[in-house]
Amino acid sequence: MGSARSNESKNHAWMFLFLCWVVTLVATAGSLFFSEVMHFPPCVLCWYQRICMYPLVFIYFAGLFPLNRSVLRFTVPLLFTGWIMALYHILVYHGVIPESLTPCTEGVSCAAVFFEWFGFISIPVLSFTAFTVLLILSFCFKVEVSKYEK
Amino acid sequence: MKNKKLVIFISLFIVVAGFIGAKKLYEKSLVQKMEFLASDNFNTFVRDYSPVLGSPDAKVYITEFLDPECESCRAVYPAVKEIMKEFEGKVKLVVRYAPFHGNSVMAVRILEAARAQGKYWEALELLFEKQPEWGDHHNPRPSLIWTYLPTIGIDVERLQKDMENPIILTRLQRDVEDGRMLDVRQTPTFFVNGKPLTSFGIPQLRSLVKDQVEQTTYQ
C-alpha cells in the first residue's frame, strides 16, 4: 500500500516536471517566433528573461529521464530571476516605473508596444504568466516529491 | 517509461510543427496584406517624390526601404545594381527611407540635397563606400561627409542650404509612416511590385524580380 502511494506520487511529480518542460518549450518557441518570424526586435529586459527561460528546456529535460528530485535546485534560481525581470518589465511597460531609470536607454525601448491581445495580453504579460505558472508547478512538484521521500 | 518517452516526443513534435505552421500562416497573411495594400493603394510602395533608378517604361518596381548608415544596405547595393542590369529596361528601383540609425536622418537630408544637383546616385554610392568611416558604430564621424562630397563635384555650400528645405523631412516622415504600414522593421526591406521578400537574400530577390518580369511581359 505504501509503495503504491509512493509510486503514485512519483508519477505525479514526473507529470508536474513534464508540464514545466512543456511550458518552457512553448515559451521558448513563442519568443523565437516574435523575434525570428515576426521580426520584433527583443529589448534588453526581454533578453534577460530569455537568458532565464531558454536553459530550462534542457534542464527540465535532463531532470525527466530518470526523474531527478534535485532538479529544482537548478531551475528555481533561474525562475525566480526571470519572474522578477518580467514583473519589472510589466511595470516599465505600463509606465509605473519611468523608462529613464531602466537599462533600456539605447536600442529598442522596453516600453515599445508591439501588440496587445484583448487590450492587456502583451509580451511582458505572457512572460510573467509563464514564469508564474512554472513557479506554481515547481511548488506542486516539491509537494509530490516530499510525499514519496518520506 | 516507454509511454513517457512517447509523450515527450509527441509534445516536442506538436510544438515544432506548431511553430513551423504558424510561421507559414504568418508569412501567408503578410503576403495577403501586402497584396491588398498593393491593389488598394500602390502609393504606399511607390511615392511620386521618391528617387527612381531605371527606365521610365519599366513595369516592375523594386521598392527598397534603406538606410544610408546600415551595413547590410551597403552590402546588398552592388547586388541590387547587378539585378537592375540583368533586367535592364524592365525594372526600376524606388528608394524609400527607413532611418534606424543615429545619423540616418542627416545622411538622408544630404542625399536629398544632392538630388537637387543631379548627383543623387553618385552621393548614395559615395556614402555607402565611405560608410565604415563616417558611420562607424563605435565612433561615428558624420562631419567627414563634407570632405567626401566635393570629390564627386558637389557644391557643398549649396547642398547645406538645400538640406534645410522642410519638404525633405515631410517626405521622410511619409516614408517612415509607409514603412510602418508595411511592417518594415529592418533594413534593407524589399518589395517587388508590392510583393514582400519574405526570406531575405540576393538569390531570393533575384527570383522574385524574375517572376514579376515574366508576369508583366506575358500580360
Side-chain angles (χ1 to χ4, degrees), chain A residues 101-136:
Chain A
L101 299 178
T102 70
C104 329
T105 44
E106 266 178 41
V108 192
S109 163
C110 294
V113 178
F114 287 107
F115 70 88
E116 269 172 357
W117 291 325
F118 314 115
F120 68 96
I121 303 182
S122 57
I123 296 176
V125 167
L126 285 173
S127 164
F128 183 76
T129 311
F131 280 114
T132 308
V133 167
L134 285 171
L135 281 171
I136 294 169

Side-chain angles (χ1 to χ4, degrees), chain B residues 10-46:
Chain B
I10 291 171
S11 2
L12 194 63
F13 178 81
I14 290 173
V15 173
V16 171
F19 186 90
I20 295 171
K23 183 176 188 285
K24 294 259 181 272
L25 273 180
Y26 178 77
E27 280 167 1
K28 204 176 150 197
S29 76
L30 202 65
V31 170
Q32 276 170 351
K33 184 183 162 193
M34 298 303 155
E35 257 167 23
F36 171 75
L37 280 174
S39 62
D40 185 57
N41 191 1
F42 196 61
N43 287 337
T44 319
F45 297 91
V46 178

Side-chain angles (χ1 to χ4, degrees), chain B residues 111-140:
Chain B
L111 286 176
E112 288 295 315
R115 206 167 145 195
Q117 298 183 33
K119 298 271 185 194
Y120 181 82
W121 300 99
E122 291 88 338
L124 182 63
E125 273 169 41
L126 185 73
L127 285 194
F128 276 150
E129 187 200 325
K130 303 279 190 185
Q131 192 196 64
E133 293 173 21
W134 68 268
D136 184 287
H137 282 334
H138 300 289
N139 181 24

Side-chain angles (χ1 to χ4, degrees), chain B residues 67-69 97 102-113 120 123-124 127 134 142 145 163:
Chain B
D67 178 340
E69 207 179 349
Y97 302 113
N103 297 303
S104 312
V105 172
M106 178 190 173
V108 167
R109 284 166 62 210
I110 290 173
L111 286 176
E112 288 295 315
Y120 181 82
L124 182 63
L127 285 194
W134 68 268
I145 295 175
M163 264 176 80

